[in-house]
Amino acid sequence: MAGNASSPLKRFFVTSFKVGLYTGLVALIALVVAVGVAMSQLPSYQQLVRRDDLGQMIRVRGADGSVLVSMGPSFGEWLTYDEIPPVMRDAMIAVEDRRFWYHPGVDPVGIVRGIQVSVTQGGGVRGVSTIAQQLARNVFLTSKRSYARKLREAILALALERRFSKEQILELYLNRVYFGGGAYGIDAASRLFFGHSAEDMSVSEAAIIAGLVKAPSNYSPTADAEAARERANVVLDLMVRSGAITAAQAATAEPADVKLVAPAKQNSVRYFTDWVLPQLDTLIDETGDPIEVWTTLDPAMQKAADEAINANTPAGAQGALVSLDRDGAVRAMIGGKDYVDSIYNRATQAQRQPGSAFKLFVYLTALETGYTPDTTVTDQPVTINGWSPRNNSRRFSGPISLRGAFSLSLNTVSAQIGQQVGFGTIADMARRFGITTPVNTHPSMVLGTSDVRLIDMTRAFAAVQRKGAAVTPYGIAKVTLSDGTVLYQHQSDENRVLVAPWVAAQMTDLLQSAVMTGTGRAAQIGRPVAGKTGTTSSNKDGWFIGFSSGLTTGVWMGRDDAKTVGGLQGGTAPARAFRDYMIQATAKRPIEQFDVQVALPDWQTEPDAESWYGAPEDFMMVDPDGNPIPQQPGQEQPLPREPGGEEEQAPPPGEERLDQQWLDRAIGRERPAPNRQPQPQRQLRQDTLPPAPGQRQPAPQPQ
């Protein structure tokens, strides 16, 4: 009976054993097949080294080569296994995978521990993944917790171990794992937190880095330095237990003494990078490779500009500053007092009335049509279509030179000039010099009632400093790959003339007088300065724009809601901010005297019969945010024409022409012939202007 009873039980166990054996064999075969398939689909070692799958890194550098901002992931240098410090390898193995050198990619002990914890405590799948499993998850999978993902992770880990050596796997892991702060790999982390390469890492630093993998956001030294150091002490204990270091070495290591690098301040610099980075789409073809964007921004000038704006802007108001070098390179850009509080870039996006700063275009038009700085004009009451401007002084100066009228910013004189030369002509001049916002032609436009952008106004003043040649602001000097391959190189164009050199020289004369004796006296910096103030009605906007030593700087201040700011005038806070900035910005530049005596060619005809109009081919149109819009190939900007003017006629045979050779001489590339003398300038016609009180109507002057 016992034999008969044991026979079914024996057959059950034998059958179960066979089923289990066959199932195990099938599972093993399936696992081998799965690993083989995974191996065949793995990227090559060279592809994994590229790290393209981690995203594109964009490093923005200043004019001095320093890193202004790093966008996207930061990789650092790729370190080979032999270049990685042994203490870093040992620290990572001790904290993440103590049996790294012995298991085939999956740690059975870790799997059993994970299953046990999951069954007893619940809460999903748990366990300590091996370094190979973490590498597989980081490269091919997501962090979603599930049994299916753990199975795929294990298969990929086994495939990685079959495809690559242990040294290669550890090298890949240490160069690809995320350590927080945008840093991928130990070299990027070491440079971010300690300021040096991972090749020079100490025991304490290695412990801090190794401790970040578990929770980069919680243990990041930049987020919580104390938590990072406490975690490092745990890593040191694990290294002692694994035999990587001795207890004595752990005792001498002091994570609390490690000096951490303070995060780079990216406050005001972000106004510039937000303006310049969208331009990459128009400059280079799309690429996933890490790129280096070499910009024109000077960090020292940017710091000086930031300090000047914050020190001088009235309480409750905002301030903006743009500083251009003689070729249009943006050296400093401040879009507001604090980027964290407001990302709105008032230097490139805000459209505000410029007040008397707009008189630049009024007087440029006057000079081009025959006025000179010494022309006598009359400061007197004037009414145009029912509009009667008044001066800030509430009085009239009578006969005064054009230079004096500009220095004192006399509104009545500007109105009379506009009435004589034409308000449309002044609007054309503003557009010629780069004003991209609409310009109205009402009589009051001569006092700056059309909204403009600070960067456009600064560009216009820079063109005057450049002897009438066009200036196009730019912020990107070149773009390269990480290996130095050049993707883009900026090329400046110096041949687009907007006004004749003598017109620019006479305008510079007026601008210099405004700083020396006029409304811009607060902008003096101990060297030649030319500039103009601007103040709108009820002190809603204050402007000062000027240049010295090859640097043109524009400053605007006001409230975003356009409410009155008590005491805000262009000659006060904006001029002082200009002064504070320019003293530092020009300190290492040679002092330059202004060339305000440029000879006219002896063939010059009546100025209003032959004008200079040269819209630059690189004329910069902008979108509503102030970003440049590239001109389509073959698209030409229309050349402005003097209202009512005739088509330009060819000069008679034998007479000189206004050709490129003469332009080269006129703007300084070649001295004009010494025997040429300027002809007398035409004086202001007074017959069209109303006489001052008590004065007789002057007789018409012959033309």
Side-chain angles (χ1 to χ4, degrees), residues 357 454 457-458 461 530-532 543-547 552-555 578:
L454 175 59
M457 289 294 294
T458 308
F461 277 75
K532 184 70 183 75
W543 298 70
F544 187 87
I545 310 172
F547 50 82
T552 304
T553 300
V555 177
F578 173 91

Side-chain angles (χ1 to χ4, degrees), residues 222-276:
T222 56
D224 191 339
E226 188 60 31
R229 287 164 176 146
E230 290 179 359
R231 174 65 178 167
N233 288 323
V234 174
V235 174
L236 290 173
D237 291 339
L238 292 173
M239 293 176 70
V240 172
R241 290 168 56 185
S242 66
I245 60 174
T246 65
Q249 289 176 309
T252 57
E254 292 292 342
D257 295 336
V258 173
K259 294 182 179 180
L260 301 175
V261 175
K265 184 180 179 181
Q266 299 179 0
N267 197 336
S268 66
V269 170
R270 290 298 303 275
Y271 287 116
F272 174 76
T273 57
D274 286 355
W275 173 71
V276 84

